Amino acid sequence: RFFSWLEREVVKNGRTDIDETTIDEVLISEFRGKQEGFLEPSFPTIAGCNAHGAIIHYRATEQTALPVTRNDMLLLDSGAQFDCGTTDVTRTVYLGEEPDEVGEDGDAEARKLRAKFEHYRNCYTRVLQGHIALSDVVFPTGTPGFLLDTLARTPLWRRGLDYRHGTGHGVGAGLMVHEGPHGVSPKAYNTTPLEVGMIVSNEPGYYEDNAFGIRIENLVWIQEASTEYRFGGKDFLGFAPLTMVPLCRVLIDVDALSKEEIKWIDAYHETVRESVGSRLAGDDEALAWLNKNTEALLL
């Protein structure tokens, strides 16, 4: 519902009076705070527009808040404590349609907008590929998180890019939103094995100083994986998504994805649609937004 509202107000209606603090206030007071079982935010909302999105733990104030307008990039990291557990989710969205391609003799501003968008999409897709690689991994019991961290970074590394934070942290149920001892990061000294039933975040990103930031975060829970063999008598594990929020379709470069990656996105979006759709009964606008943003890429 929140993203449907945001797209309507900023992209369709062209409002210019919404800023980063408005995002936080509306998200909590008008949407998340009205959900059944809501207790309180699980941490201060990070709503970073354009250059502020590159500040990993940015928090908007009345003095620093940027307006959120059409053709902007918005990184939104938020969560809540509910009577059934704790949430933490990040989505990065482009607030507009894909700009038209413009020839060399075309309008300079239009060419600049198109070039910026293509860079956003290229970076977003690399972050998404890392997110998928970690989401889809199967690993033996006893594996610590640092052995999986490179999966999320490899698509970025291939372009000479990276990010300066861990890829995943543990989450407590109604407790700390960052709760160890397990995690996924380059820190090789954390040898805590990932075990069945643990919840961990999957949140690769990319941050370009003074320009924009991208992060895609789902919470996942660790479960037993179905494998043909059990080498050495070991069980094998994998991740199942708990977070049900569509990805930003306009920022996905489908041509850069493998068939397996496209299938993963389509399967995830189908799960999101089935899980969330029934909760939007009576809200035709939000349901239409959900259906549009979870349409299959592979037709």
Side-chain angles (χ1 to χ4, degrees):
R1 287 191 172 100
F2 170 79
F3 281 116
S4 172
W5 169 85
L6 183 64
E7 182 176 296
R8 181 188 73 232
E9 295 302 314
V10 172
V11 180
K12 294 181 181 177
N13 296 343
R15 281 181 61 178
T16 58
D17 61 330
I18 295 173
D19 66 18
E20 294 165 336
T21 58
T22 313
I23 296 293
D24 183 17
E25 292 164 2
V26 172
L27 174 63
I28 295 172
S29 65
E30 298 299 321
F31 294 99
R32 183 172 285 147
K34 293 183 177 180
Q35 288 184 281
E36 184 178 353
F38 173 84
L39 300 175
E40 62 182 1
S42 52
F43 60 95
T45 298
I46 299 170
C49 186
N50 297 335
H52 285 170
I55 304 171
I56 294 173
H57 292 114
Y58 171 73
R59 185 175 182 185
T61 66
E62 291 184 5
Q63 291 71 37
T64 65
L66 290 175
V68 178
T69 59
R70 188 183 286 129
N71 298 324
D72 284 343
M73 285 279 279
L74 176 69
L75 186 154
L76 180 60
D77 185 349
S78 65
Q81 303 283 12
F82 290 90
D83 57 11
C84 58
T86 300
T87 66
D88 180 6
V89 54
T90 308
R91 286 294 182 268
T92 305
V93 294
Y94 178 77
L95 293 167
E97 302 295 332
E98 177 178 349
D100 293 332
E101 294 189 18
V102 182
E104 291 184 3
D105 3 341
D107 179 74
E109 285 301 314
R111 290 203 313 272
K112 182 179 178 182
L113 178 63
R114 177 68 192 188
K116 284 175 64 175
F117 173 81
E118 288 181 353
H119 185 48
Y120 295 155
R121 184 170 63 179
N122 197 301
C123 295
Y124 182 92
T125 301
R126 295 326 182 258
V127 173
L128 176 56
Q129 287 175 309
H131 181 91
I132 293 170
L134 184 59
S135 297
D136 213 27
V137 69
V138 173
F139 54 93
T141 55
T143 300
F146 77 86
L147 291 179
L148 306 180
D149 184 76
T150 57
L151 293 169
R153 296 178 192 268
T154 297
L156 289 164
W157 285 352
R158 288 192 178 120
R159 297 199 70 236
L161 304 176
D162 202 353
Y163 51 95
R164 300 186 185 97
H165 60 73
T167 302
H169 58 82
V171 180
L175 299 168
M176 297 293 291
V177 75
H178 281 227
E179 183 170 293
H182 62 294
V184 179
S185 80
K187 298 175 181 177
Y189 59 79
N190 186 349
T191 58
T192 303
L194 301 175
E195 299 178 0
V196 170
M198 285 180 170
I199 294 176
V200 66
S201 66
N202 173 358
E203 50 181 307
Y206 172 66
Y207 311 89
E208 197 157 301
D209 291 344
N210 303 311
F212 65 93
I214 296 167
R215 186 161 62 251
I216 302 171
E217 177 186 17
N218 279 356
L219 297 188
V220 297
W221 67 282
I222 302 171
Q223 61 180 5
E224 288 188 13
S226 176
T227 57
E228 184 178 0
Y229 303 105
R230 295 176 67 248
F231 181 81
K234 283 189 173 184
D235 291 327
F236 284 75
L237 309 177
F239 298 122
L242 293 172
T243 303
M244 295 291 142
V245 180
L247 302 162
C248 185
R249 287 176 61 89
V250 73
L251 288 176
I252 299 174
D253 183 358
V254 179
D255 292 336
L257 300 175
S258 68
K259 287 185 178 180
E260 290 73 21
E261 289 167 335
I262 292 173
K263 286 179 181 178
W264 185 93
I265 294 169
D266 285 348
Y268 174 69
H269 276 160
E270 182 178 3
T271 302
V272 172
R273 188 168 57 251
E274 292 175 351
S275 300
V276 179
S278 61
R279 298 169 182 258
L280 298 178
D283 190 338
D284 293 342
E285 183 181 57
L287 186 57
W289 184 92
L290 174 69
N291 290 333
K292 174 185 174 184
N293 285 276
T294 57
E295 289 178 352
L297 299 176
L298 190 61
L299 300 175

